Amino acid sequence: MNAELFKREMKDRTYIAADSEMHLHMHEKAQRARKITAEMNKEYRTPEEIRKLFSKLIGQEVGEGFVLFPPFSADYGQNIKVGKNVFINSGCCFQDQGGIEIGDNALIGQQVVIATINHDLNPENRGNMFPAPVKIGNRVWIGAHATILSGVTIGDNSVIAAGAVVTKDVPENSVVAGVPAKIIKYLEAE
């Protein structure tokens, strides 16, 4: 299995059986991601060095407007798409096998977790997984310590409050907070 075939399967939300070819591929690519992020995280890196390492991790070039403050971790690395002028603060963890898309001018706070895989609830099949992508719109601000769960889409201009656990889609121009996150305010569209 190669990364392109794997990403197609993830886009189709293919069920991942434990010890299957897809599962083994995930583990293999996790080693690649760990190696690159260890290089990124082990000592001070200039913004240019960070952009270069992150580009290598995701397999596509990020622009000069991209900023990331290490440490950072990703479980797969090659299923992350980043728009222009994205800021990712320190301590973020991206479980990206299912796919993560981040829109232009997004701000992601410290220690944000983005998870794109759920395990089977049946104890007999607990090692099996369900992937679902996370899509973050343009100009979204995600506060520190928030968790975004698989299958969630966050609409443009929205704000995720610090510590929120987002379990369902967030409409554009809204503010959500809490566990589970609920809409607490609507923003005026410009």
Side-chain angles (χ1 to χ4, degrees), residues 27-45:
H27 281 279
E28 176 187 318
K29 293 301 180 181
Q31 298 310 309
R32 175 191 173 275
R34 287 181 59 219
K35 184 177 181 181
I36 295 168
T37 56
E39 185 70 22
M40 186 185 308
N41 297 332
K42 75 178 182 178
E43 62 188 77
Y44 172 78
R45 299 283 179 201

Side-chain angles (χ1 to χ4, degrees), residues 27-146:
H27 281 279
E28 176 187 318
K29 293 301 180 181
Q31 298 310 309
R32 175 191 173 275
R34 287 181 59 219
K35 184 177 181 181
I36 295 168
T37 56
E39 185 70 22
M40 186 185 308
N41 297 332
K42 75 178 182 178
E43 62 188 77
Y44 172 78
R45 299 283 179 201
T46 66
E48 182 179 283
E49 290 171 322
I50 295 292
R51 283 191 296 275
K52 185 176 179 181
L53 285 164
F54 192 83
S55 294
K56 180 179 178 181
L57 175 69
I58 69 171
Q60 68 183 34
E61 197 72 28
V62 293
E64 285 189 32
F66 175 83
V67 176
L68 182 145
F69 290 174
F72 173 82
S73 69
D75 287 358
Y76 188 78
Q78 293 177 288
N79 210 1
I80 301 170
K81 294 180 182 173
V82 177
K84 297 175 185 169
N85 302 313
V86 168
F87 173 74
I88 300 172
N89 213 326
S90 62
C92 291
C93 300
F94 288 10
Q95 181 198 47
D96 66 295
Q97 293 95 330
I100 297 172
E101 292 181 27
I102 303 171
D104 295 344
N105 303 300
L107 304 172
I108 299 177
Q110 292 177 324
Q111 299 183 347
V112 166
V113 173
I114 301 175
T116 65
I117 298 257
N118 274 322
H119 285 274
D120 198 314
L121 290 176
N122 180 339
E124 300 297 319
N125 299 318
R126 191 64 44 86
N128 300 346
M129 295 160 273
F130 299 94
V134 168
K135 296 179 182 177
I136 299 167
N138 297 321
R139 298 168 305 281
V140 167
W141 173 22
I142 301 175
H145 298 273

